[in-house]
Amino acid sequence: MLDNTQIERLEAEAVNSAKTRQPLYAPRRKIFPKQASGSFRRFKWLVMAITLGIYYLTPWLRWDRGAFAPDQAVLLDLVNRRFYFFFIEIWPQEFYYVAGLLVMAGIGLFQITSTVGRAWCGYTCPQTVWVDLFLVVERAIEGDRNARMKLDAGPWTARKLVLRVSKHAIWLVIGAATGGAWIFYFADAPTLLGELFTGTAAPVAYITVAVLTATTYTFGGLMREQVCTYMCPWPRIQAAMLDESSLTVTYNDWRGEPRSRHAKKAQAAGKAIGDCVDCNACVAVCPMGIDIRDGQQLECITCALCIDACDGVMDKLGKERGLISYATLSDYNANMMLATAGGSSAVNPSLVRTADGLFSDSVAHFHIRKIFRPRTYVYMAMWGLIGLGLLYSLMTRDRLEINVLHDRNPQFVTLSDGSIRNGYTVKLLNMIPEPRTIIVTIGGLPGAEMSIVGVDLPADRSFAIQVEPDRLKMLKVFVRLPADAIHGEAQTFTLQVEDKASFESNEYTATFNTPEIAR
Ligand code: SF4
Ligand code: SF4
């Protein structure tokens, strides 16, 4: 166990602090985040491996859909206007599934933010993940914080040039891989990879890779925290989603202040000091370059690396972890009231401890039940209902559809024998990756018969039409009704479709128009 004075004090100053709040357009101050270690850092490594693994590997997963459909598990086939996601195939008119998923993602984000603050920013936002990855490269090449600061401040030498060129070259490779992975979601990945390297891919593929290489390199390598602070709207929006029961990364000054590196002197003088030894470890690891001890700040992405850094210091001092911790505002306020004797004095950390130095029973700690409150129940219910609705709709959706458009001009034609003919454009949708024989039948409208342009068969009430896999077939159909079968004004009837092999069927209710003279 170490004494306060034995904890190394790092020369780290927040880029924007309560003492020296910078104007919004102040020149950028470089940040050299120190490597953190601890449970949150390990969790972030895990999330990073999972998210990057999913992003880079997904286009290479295969999914057998038979001979008539692509075998890429996740594919946005813009040319044929299809979206494939494993066993699910979405047609353009089914875009509401995508809209539903986006709504669910939005509600999920509200849920997460109201519960654990900006966890999205701190762990899974692509900007955070790629900055983390770029920092891994930077540390591997240039060293940790002190070595990087020294290198940055030093003159340009052959070594510095080699290190910098190596770093930026690897960053560009990561950027290119990021752009490359993106375009593989829009075409058969192995084929496109071959085309990319043989120069035969479409120009838009090269342009997309170039744009994403540049943006990934610029945002992840060069701009880093600037993107979160100045470009992203989420830090501004999230304030409306937090409430006093939301968990956020908090400096618990009710046990930390006043800070001192000289505990023994303070004790000898009869002064109560807090747990913070003012070592700056929390500032040095912060990728946003801020000091969490200044309180909640727009820049804080709640990555929790300062918690790891401080917990390491507390371990060395033999004190309880959690001087910086995830805490709710209500718990923080309760503990602050305790430490200030109801707000009547400055923070006196001895008020939150018993005589033997342990936390008093009155100290509020986070409990998992605080996550479950009316607001989060509402989010959960909305999320679950939309999800169940989408799932039900997905499981029961039609894979055989018919759409009918009545000719507007002319609305009917009177033939020489007095019968009336109406024209229709009929679309048959075979939404499975197998060819089908679809039986098209007139339902109702007694006496009516139809003929199909291009089908060399006599008029009938039913036709068998071949439709290619996963395709829409457009037919020009004429329905003829003998004069003696016309009753009343416009009559409704159905055009029915049926696949006898799969027992699927569907129908469309259409109108048959007649002239005044025929009624
Ligand atoms: S203050 Fe802590 S939680 Fe916030 S960004 Fe910095 S290291 Fe992450
Ligand atoms: S809060 Fe923790 S890490 Fe930060 S200066 Fe104080 S003791 Fe060090």
Side-chain angles (χ1 to χ4, degrees):
M1 200 191 307
L2 300 181
D3 173 67
N4 282 20
T5 53
Q6 292 172 298
I7 300 290
E8 183 193 4
R9 187 168 199 274
L10 300 170
E11 287 310 314
E13 197 185 336
V15 294
N16 205 3
S17 71
K19 284 181 218 136
T20 53
R21 186 131 298 270
Q22 300 287 330
L24 190 62
Y25 296 106
R28 182 186 187 190
R29 284 172 57 190
K30 285 187 185 172
I31 298 169
F32 302 90
K34 187 173 160 42
Q35 171 78 64
S37 59
S39 49
F40 287 106
R41 180 62 268 182
R42 282 194 295 278
F43 181 62
K44 273 172 71 70
W45 287 139
L46 181 68
V47 173
M48 180 182 169
I50 291 171
T51 50
L52 287 178
I54 290 173
Y55 177 71
Y56 287 119
L57 296 179
T58 298
W60 300 94
L61 298 177
R62 302 291 104 185
W63 190 266
D64 185 11
R65 299 186 183 90
F68 301 101
D71 67 347
Q72 188 156 312
V74 179
L75 179 66
L76 272 157
D77 186 352
L78 295 181
V79 177
N80 295 303
R81 306 204 301 161
R82 299 285 184 278
F83 172 46
Y84 298 96
F85 186 80
F86 295 91
F87 63 95
I88 301 171
E89 180 186 345
I90 306 280
W91 281 48
Q93 63 267 41
E94 296 173 316
F95 187 77
Y96 53 86
Y97 286 114
V98 180
L101 285 177
L102 290 176
V103 171
M104 284 181 72
I107 294 171
L109 208 51
F110 295 168
Q111 170 77 297
I112 287 171
T113 306
S114 67
T115 317
V116 286
R118 290 172 64 185
W120 160 259
C121 300
Y123 299 90
T124 48
C125 170
Q127 173 67 12
T128 301
V129 173
W130 263 280
V131 167
D132 248 5
L133 182 61
F134 278 42
L135 276 172
V136 169
V137 174
E138 187 170 280
R139 282 196 194 100
I141 293 175
E142 297 181 354
D144 205 357
R145 176 182 161 84
N146 288 346
R148 300 208 306 279
M149 288 170 70
K150 200 170 153 197
L151 185 75
D152 190 66
W156 279 97
T157 60
R159 178 178 172 272
K160 181 169 176 174
L161 191 66
V162 169
L163 294 180
R164 285 283 158 93
V165 169
S166 309
K167 177 178 81 173
H168 288 278
I170 295 175
W171 281 359
L172 282 168
V173 170
I174 294 172
T178 304
W182 180 251
I183 60 170
F184 294 149
Y185 283 88
F186 296 85
D188 181 61
T191 310
L192 183 55
L193 182 66
E195 289 173 353
L196 273 179
F197 284 102
T198 53
T200 54
V204 68
Y206 294 104
I207 293 169
T208 307
V209 172
V211 168
L212 284 177
T213 303
T215 49
T216 309
Y217 170 79
T218 306
F219 292 164
L222 306 181
M223 292 183 68
R224 296 185 185 173
E225 79 289 348
Q226 304 268 294
V227 174
C228 309
T229 306
Y230 296 109
M231 292 172 65
C232 180
W234 191 236
R236 280 93 186 155
I237 297 169
Q238 56 128 14
M241 295 178 194
L242 299 174
D243 60 31
E244 61 181 12
S245 298
S246 307
L247 278 172
T248 52
V249 174
T250 307
Y251 169 61
N252 295 306
D253 45 0
W254 49 269
R255 64 169 270 198
E257 303 287 330
R259 310 165 195 173
S260 176
R261 297 186 56 74
H262 305 286
K264 282 183 184 160
K265 264 195 213 167
Q267 276 162 2
K271 285 188 200 159
I273 59 163
D275 288 344
C276 176
V277 295
D278 208 11
C279 65
N280 287 335
C282 50
V283 183
V285 297
C286 178
M288 302 301 293
I290 59 169
D291 186 343
I292 191 66
R293 294 173 298 171
D294 287 339
Q296 290 297 315
Q297 292 155 76
L298 173 146
E299 293 94 336
C300 178
I301 56 171
T302 67
C303 64
L305 295 182
C306 53
I307 297 181
D308 276 345
C310 192
D311 280 350
V313 173
M314 293 298 114
D315 287 349
K316 287 180 193 161
L317 293 168
K319 294 183 177 171
E320 302 92 338
R321 290 180 162 206
L323 175 55
I324 301 174
S325 68
Y326 271 105
T328 66
L329 184 62
S330 58
D331 286 346
Y332 170 84
N333 285 340
N335 292 333
M336 188 50 104
M337 291 302 275
L338 201 62
T340 57
S344 62
S345 68
V347 173
N348 180 354
S350 65
L351 297 178
V352 296
R353 295 186 184 274
T354 57
D356 52 9
L358 299 174
F359 283 133
S360 91
D361 290 342
S362 307
V363 169
H365 297 284
F366 174 73
H367 192 283
I368 191 77
R369 69 170 177 273
K370 290 188 180 174
I371 285 180
F372 301 99
R373 53 191 194 276
R375 179 178 182 174
T376 55
Y377 282 132
V378 170
Y379 286 144
M380 273 189 258
M382 286 166 67
W383 198 87
L385 283 174
I386 296 173
L388 284 174
L390 286 179
L391 197 62
Y392 176 77
S393 166
L394 195 66
M395 294 302 167
T396 57
R397 67 184 175 156
D398 294 321
R399 298 284 78 196
L400 172 62
E401 285 192 11
I402 177 170
N403 283 314
V404 179
L405 191 65
H406 195 292
D407 286 356
R408 283 178 168 262
N409 191 15
Q411 293 201 358
F412 56 84
V413 172
T414 307
L415 301 180
S416 56
D417 62 356
S419 61
I420 303 299
R421 192 182 76 180
N422 280 207
Y424 303 88
T425 301
V426 174
K427 292 176 185 170
L428 302 180
L429 284 76
N430 173 18
M431 299 166 87
I432 63 166
E434 297 290 337
R436 295 216 253 199
T437 302
I438 297 176
I439 312 295
V440 186
T441 309
I442 293 178
L445 210 61
E449 288 183 330
M450 64 178 162
S451 55
I452 300 175
V453 175
V455 176
D456 198 14
L457 289 170
D460 203 341
R461 285 183 68 84
S462 189
F463 283 89
I465 306 291
Q466 301 295 325
V467 184
E468 290 177 11
D470 202 31
R471 283 286 173 271
L472 175 155
K473 183 151 194 164
M474 199 160 348
L475 305 173
K476 185 70 201 168
V477 174
F478 291 108
V479 176
R480 191 182 68 83
L481 191 63
D484 58 3
I486 299 170
H487 307 291
E489 295 184 352
Q491 300 176 55
T492 55
F493 69 104
T494 56
L495 275 171
Q496 301 163 349
V497 284
E498 186 185 7
D499 174 12
K500 291 198 183 299
S502 65
F503 304 108
E504 281 178 271
S505 63
N506 216 324
E507 65 179 31
Y508 191 98
T509 302
T511 307
F512 189 88
N513 290 332
T514 56
E516 285 289 327
I517 195 164
R519 289 176 205 148

